[in-house]
Amino acid sequence: MKKLVWFGIAILGTAALAMIATSRGETINSIWLVAAALCVYALAYRFYALWISTKILVTDKTRATPAERFDNGLDFTPTNKWVTFGHHFAAIAGPGPLVGPTLAAQFGYLPGTIWILIGAVLGGCVQDMVTLFFSTRRDGRSLGQMARDELGPVGGAAALIGTLSIMVILISVLGLVVVNALKHSPWGTSTVMATIPVAILVGLYMRHIRPGKVLEGSLIGVALLLFSVASGGWIDHNAALRAFFDFDSQTLVWLVIGYGFLAAILPVWLLLAPRDYLSTYMKLGTVIALALAIFIMHPEIKMPAVTSFVDGTGPIFAGKLFPFVFITIACGAISGFHALVSSGTTPKLIANEEDIPMIGYGGMALESFVAIMAMTAATVLDPGVFFAINSPPGLVGTGAIAAAKISSWGFPVSMEQMQQLANEMGEKTLFARTGGAPSLAVGMASIFGNAFGRSLLSIWYHFAIMFEAVFILTTLDAGTRVGRFMLQDMLGNLYKPMGRTSWLPSVLISSAAIVASWGYFLYIGVLDPYGGVNLLWPLFGISNQMLAAIALSVGTGILIKSGKARYAWVTGIPLAWLCVITTSAAWEKITSADIRIGFFAAADHLSELLSLGKLAPEKAAVAPKLIFNMQLDGIITIFFVIVLWTVVFEMLRVGWRKTIGLPIPPVSESPHIPSRLVEDWVRD
Amino acid sequence: MEKLWRLIRQLSGEDAYERYLDHVRKCHPEMAPLDRKAFFVREEERKWNGIRRCC
């Protein structure tokens, strides 16, 4: 019977994939995409994940996990596997899988979708599960500690530096997405600003009014957030208030920087913790609602399967399909950041090793499904509208010129159509709202609008903007804080008092340093004429894939060291692929003569224009900053590639020494202690 | 239904204090447990001193 069910899933999955593969020229229904994805995840889980966990990792249900051995009722607690799954998913799923696929939709729906599915099933899910398993076997140690223990101090240092730098790049690019979504949008800005007092109110409620009643507090908070979306509409209709919340992008950058600094130094209970509760509920609720709406509506996909932009001339970001689709979609296919949650945080909750495939592999499969939904929401828009929202003005011009240019690419769009859409969404204009968030919000609003009532389109749009901004800001403040701790830890080695996490001068200096680093990239990103997304997103993708390569190197190293070298391909193949794509993407970003791709080429081009006096005065004023920044970005890219190959070589060196029998750092696995939680435990 | 409510309470961390009390009674009967507010305050501080959120 069970075999029949799996046979049925295999048939359905094949049929859905065949449907996608054979339909050319006409539109295809999004339900096929969703069905194909779900079948692929189910089959991969049943036949690949469980095979890895039983044959290669050899999960042992009689072995006590760290949660059982160090049970303190706090961070180490054996937890129900569905609850652990929920915590794990809430921790790994951020704005990344929503933004990446939206940007990559410029290549058409097919390339991104294939990479999301294959990348997740063979790469991302495996990375998360293997890291979770090895960390669970090592008392829940973090990725950095595991890299040091298993590969030596060089690997450990590389992992630490890699983590800190990805944090800075990640926060700046996410900040840019928020700024682009909120510029000259009084409704959006007032709604997002309202989330701050709402979070503080919830924080006070949970701490002082009804201590520990997190469900009540969160419910009140969510209700207030929904109210703030509606009241944003009233502000938008009032001329005086409208002007008060109408900011240009430069001002918004300073507001975001100020917010980030405050969030890093204020006590967590006041802002960070309550905000995280709210964003988690918003996130889970919206993801479920979007899935339901896509199932009910199953809209037609209007984007072609593959567009002509695979040749590298795309307006949203420059570069050919290979390697840039693999860099643009990091989260959703494979995300190194997950390894930080899969080690250190989640392992302390695992009650039984047999829960690991479901939590590690399944959690990532669900995140990958979120990416598929984001791809759907982006591609159900008219392609002309999609490109009008996402193309930077530096490339296509503004207004009617932009509409004509985009229509000339074969994606018809008119001024009237864009104006009507902007009116429906309650915005002044939707041209050049780069960063992915606004187009995703338009896509979500049209799906929600068709499923749950079209008259509320503007509410749905601003709800979607608020939802994205809320959890981008959550990543921003949590990331700044983590960065602050890491920096304090490093500085503590140089000057002892700096390492004390609560010493005020240390808090202020290290917070300011972290905020200044991401604030710098954010500020420059806003100045960039081609839209900072073109500049920053590839950098983020490269850094995230670099971190994934570090995690997979640790995994491969442990497999080889524990005598399972013939199975090392399970992590080795995704690792090799990551090395290929990150290195070739970095190579292009460094050496390409195309000024939209190559950092150094762009810097040279701009300095030439500057020295010839061909720039308008206001552009000439910022040109030196832009030139310096592009050179800096190029150097950072080179640095990422060096870190990546250092870790890979460390892993290969350890593996080679093991093969020819030279001494290597011992496997740091904790000893086997029988579990008392399994029923069939027998005293021996 | 009751099971679902238990799951929701556990997922949100609403029952964290009760689970903590259980743990103290079971494993450290000699220790006086923290009160609800002190426990919550300590938990909030602890939870945020590490990587809790991804991209």
Side-chain angles (χ1 to χ4, degrees):
Chain A
M1 186 57 214
K2 260 195 173 157
K3 273 187 186 159
L4 263 179
V5 172
W6 285 109
F7 192 65
I9 294 177
I11 296 277
L12 178 63
T14 320
L17 285 171
M19 194 68 198
I20 297 169
T22 55
S23 87
R24 284 289 169 275
E26 65 223 80
T27 59
I28 178 172
N29 198 290
S30 55
I31 200 79
W32 293 111
L33 234 62
V34 171
L38 289 177
C39 293
V40 166
Y41 301 138
L43 291 169
Y45 178 77
R46 170 64 187 80
F47 295 103
Y48 194 48
L50 294 185
W51 177 76
I52 294 175
S53 72
T54 50
K55 284 283 179 308
I56 302 174
L57 304 177
V58 196
T59 50
D60 180 356
K61 70 173 173 186
T62 65
R63 188 183 182 117
T65 59
E68 182 187 348
R69 283 184 290 127
F70 307 119
D71 186 357
N72 57 6
L74 301 171
D75 51 346
F76 288 96
T77 323
T79 308
N80 172 303
K81 70 172 174 177
W82 290 103
V83 173
T84 313
F85 181 85
H87 283 303
H88 183 71
F89 176 69
I92 63 171
L98 297 175
V99 177
T102 309
L103 302 178
Q106 76 165 353
F107 293 131
Y109 68 82
L110 202 55
T113 303
I114 292 176
W115 166 236
I116 291 171
L117 290 181
I118 295 180
V121 159
L122 298 181
C125 297
V126 174
Q127 172 208 267
D128 288 16
M129 173 171 74
V130 168
T131 310
L132 182 59
F133 176 80
F134 287 137
S135 176
T136 306
R137 280 277 169 99
R138 284 159 183 73
D139 303 344
R141 254 173 262 159
S142 71
L143 181 69
Q145 289 168 313
M146 288 202 289
R148 196 175 50 224
D149 292 346
E150 300 288 344
L151 304 179
V154 177
L160 191 67
I161 295 168
T163 312
L164 191 59
S165 43
I166 183 182
M167 205 84 82
V168 168
I169 303 286
L170 167 75
I171 296 173
S172 58
V173 73
L174 290 180
L176 187 64
V177 171
V178 171
V179 167
N180 283 342
L182 297 186
K183 68 175 174 200
H184 297 300
S185 167
W187 189 338
T189 310
S190 62
T191 304
V192 172
M193 279 185 166
T195 62
I196 297 168
V198 169
I200 292 179
L201 209 69
V202 171
L204 289 170
Y205 185 91
M206 285 180 184
R207 189 172 173 109
H208 291 296
I209 303 175
R210 301 258 290 160
K213 292 285 179 191
V214 292
L215 266 183
E216 278 169 27
S218 310
L219 270 179
I220 297 172
V222 169
L224 286 173
L225 284 188
L226 296 179
F227 175 74
S228 74
V229 175
S231 60
W234 304 328
I235 288 176
D236 196 46
H237 290 305
N238 178 319
L241 284 173
R242 206 190 138 80
F244 185 73
F245 286 107
D246 192 343
F247 297 112
D248 61 4
S249 32
Q250 306 258 349
T251 320
L252 282 168
V253 166
W254 290 110
L255 288 176
V256 170
I257 290 176
Y259 168 76
F261 183 69
L262 274 184
I265 57 170
L266 283 180
V268 279
W269 63 267
L270 189 61
L271 191 53
L272 216 73
R275 176 178 205 105
D276 185 72
Y277 276 111
L278 295 180
S279 84
T280 307
Y281 290 117
M282 296 297 303
K283 176 161 59 187
L284 295 179
T286 310
V287 163
I288 293 168
L290 188 59
L292 279 179
I294 287 179
F295 274 110
I296 298 171
M297 283 305 305
H298 46 85
E300 292 285 321
I301 286 180
K302 295 186 186 143
M303 182 70 78
V306 181
T307 67
S308 60
F309 298 133
V310 291
D311 65 358
T313 56
I316 301 177
F317 58 91
K320 289 201 176 77
L321 184 67
F322 178 87
F324 286 99
V325 75
F326 306 104
I327 292 299
T328 307
I329 304 182
C331 316
I334 178 163
S335 165
F337 220 113
H338 293 188
L340 304 178
V341 171
S342 301
S343 63
T345 314
T346 306
K348 297 175 182 167
L349 301 174
I350 301 277
N352 190 300
E353 284 189 359
E354 295 212 316
D355 301 344
I356 286 175
M358 193 272 251
I359 293 159
Y361 201 95
M364 176 61 198
L366 187 57
E367 159 148 318
S368 171
F369 184 62
V370 173
I372 291 284
M373 290 199 294
M375 179 62 94
T376 308
T379 52
V380 296
L381 294 176
D382 272 325
V385 170
F386 171 81
F387 285 111
I389 299 175
N390 282 305
S391 302
L395 200 71
V396 295
T398 48
I401 302 168
K405 177 126 191 196
I406 290 162
S407 301
S408 76
W409 294 334
F411 303 115
V413 63
S414 67
M415 276 302 280
E416 297 75 48
Q417 190 185 0
M418 286 303 287
Q419 198 49 53
Q420 198 206 334
L421 192 68
N423 290 343
E424 279 183 334
M425 299 297 165
E427 288 287 296
K428 222 189 282 172
T429 176
L430 285 172
F431 274 108
R433 305 302 292 267
T434 57
S439 76
L440 180 65
V442 172
M444 275 168 69
S446 61
I447 292 174
F448 281 145
N450 286 333
F452 312 118
R454 227 182 140 67
S455 59
L456 299 169
L457 267 180
S458 58
I459 299 263
W460 285 122
Y461 174 82
H462 289 97
F463 170 80
I465 290 285
M466 184 271 288
F467 146 79
E468 289 172 84
V470 158
F471 72 106
I472 285 180
L473 290 179
T474 305
T475 306
L476 185 144
D477 49 33
T480 305
R481 210 176 165 82
V482 170
R484 183 195 115 193
F485 287 132
M486 292 170 71
L487 191 64
Q488 284 182 306
D489 199 40
M490 286 182 203
L491 293 176
N493 294 328
L494 304 174
Y495 176 57
K496 263 266 148 37
M498 283 301 284
R500 294 211 315 264
T501 49
S502 53
W503 188 51
L504 193 64
S506 166
V507 170
L508 292 179
I509 292 171
S510 47
S511 302
I514 295 287
V515 173
S517 342
W518 61 253
Y520 165 75
F521 287 106
L522 172 58
Y523 174 73
I524 294 285
V526 169
L527 288 184
D528 191 82
Y530 293 128
V533 170
N534 181 48
L535 210 63
L536 284 174
W537 193 264
L539 212 53
F540 162 61
I542 291 173
S543 64
N544 203 358
Q545 307 292 41
M546 170 202 73
L547 197 57
I550 294 176
L552 285 167
S553 293
V554 172
T556 311
I558 294 177
L559 283 178
I560 295 174
K561 283 170 69 180
S562 39
K564 292 172 184 164
R566 70 195 180 98
Y567 289 122
W569 57 265
V570 167
T571 49
I573 287 178
L575 173 61
W577 178 243
L578 286 182
C579 291
V580 170
I581 56 171
T582 38
T583 310
S584 46
W587 178 256
E588 288 204 27
K589 294 306 285 185
I590 296 163
T591 63
S592 171
D594 182 336
I595 56 162
R596 289 184 61 224
I597 302 177
F599 286 128
F600 293 114
D604 293 346
H605 175 71
L606 198 58
S607 41
E608 197 184 313
L609 286 184
L610 185 64
S611 61
L612 293 174
K614 280 187 180 168
L615 291 173
E618 76 276 7
K619 285 196 176 149
V622 295
K625 287 185 202 164
L626 289 175
I627 293 167
F628 171 76
N629 178 59
M630 284 162 191
Q631 286 163 340
L632 179 67
D633 289 349
I635 293 167
I636 291 175
T637 310
I638 296 172
F639 171 73
F640 284 157
V641 176
I642 293 173
V643 172
L644 164 75
W645 284 102
T646 308
V647 177
V648 172
F649 277 122
E650 279 294 289
M651 185 273 287
L652 291 175
R653 192 177 62 86
V654 169
W656 180 73
R657 288 175 71 93
K658 157 89 185 171
T659 323
I660 60 167
L662 287 170
I664 48 170
V667 175
S668 60
E669 192 168 288
S670 314
H672 180 288
I673 295 170
S675 170
R676 288 157 185 270
L677 294 177
V678 286
E679 293 97 329
D680 53 4
W681 181 74
V682 210
R683 187 171 292 277
D684 46 17
Chain B
M1 201 61 210
E2 199 179 307
K3 220 175 152 187
L4 185 74
W5 176 235
R6 259 218 315 273
L7 200 73
I8 291 175
R9 271 173 56 89
Q10 214 179 337
L11 248 160
S12 63
E14 174 106 347
D15 66 347
Y17 183 63
E18 288 139 58
R19 274 186 288 146
Y20 162 77
L21 281 187
D22 279 351
H23 172 80
V24 171
R25 282 196 201 112
K26 209 170 65 195
C27 306
H28 319 278
E30 74 291 347
M31 226 170 76
L34 297 169
D35 68 18
R36 186 179 270 277
K37 190 170 168 185
F39 170 75
F40 186 68
V41 167
R42 195 182 63 174
E43 271 294 83
E44 266 189 334
E45 290 301 324
R46 177 189 65 73
K47 271 191 196 162
W48 289 98
N49 289 347
I51 294 172
R52 294 252 304 154
R53 290 295 174 256
C54 266
C55 38

